[in-house]
Amino acid sequence: LAGGKGLPFSDGVIAGKTLYVAGQEGSDEEGKLAAGGIAAETKAALDNIQKVLKTAGFEMSDIVSVTVYLADIQEFGDMNKVYKEIMPDPKPARATIQAAALVNHARIEVSVIAVEQ
């Protein structure tokens, strides 16, 4: 799948029945971060992931693994509230870490692995 926003990577790569989705920030098509802090950025990041999945013929329920990068681990609770509302059950495996800095001063970046069911 073509890289978004003119960046030198693909938004997703399909290998067999598996889709690897590159880290998605909580930004719009022009790269502008969603206003409203971590909750808004989390929703936008997950919306961006859903778009990549749909383009590749996958669904949110196909996600088996998630990696969440937070600029501030203290925002884990607020991120998790939005995540729980959007991510379907059963929830995929997940790792969440704090990163020293994210591109564009983002609060969050999320990458996923999805497997065709």
Side-chain angles (χ1 to χ4, degrees):
L1 305 172
K5 304 168 189 97
L7 297 172
F9 59 84
S10 297
D11 281 331
V13 174
I14 298 172
K17 294 184 175 195
T18 304
L19 172 64
Y20 298 87
V21 179
Q24 300 292 311
E25 296 176 346
S27 57
D28 62 18
E29 300 277 330
E30 289 79 41
K32 182 179 178 186
L33 292 173
I38 190 65
E41 285 189 42
T42 300
K43 181 177 182 331
L46 294 176
D47 287 348
N48 289 338
I49 286 170
Q50 190 166 22
K51 289 174 191 171
V52 175
L53 290 167
K54 184 176 180 181
T55 298
F58 288 74
E59 298 179 19
M60 293 291 277
S61 60
D62 294 326
I63 297 172
V64 296
S65 181
V66 179
T67 304
V68 177
Y69 303 91
L70 293 174
D72 183 353
I73 201 69
Q74 299 301 314
E75 295 181 322
F76 177 85
D78 291 333
M79 174 278 298
N80 212 36
K81 286 177 190 173
V82 175
Y83 179 94
K84 287 192 292 189
E85 292 174 4
I86 294 175
M87 197 62 67
D89 289 324
K91 303 287 190 256
R94 184 179 82 183
T96 304
I97 64 167
Q98 178 173 310
L102 297 173
V103 175
N104 298 326
H105 305 288
R107 309 296 314 143
I108 188 170
E109 185 170 324
V110 182
S111 65
V112 304
I113 299 171
V115 177
E116 184 181 305
Q117 304 297 318

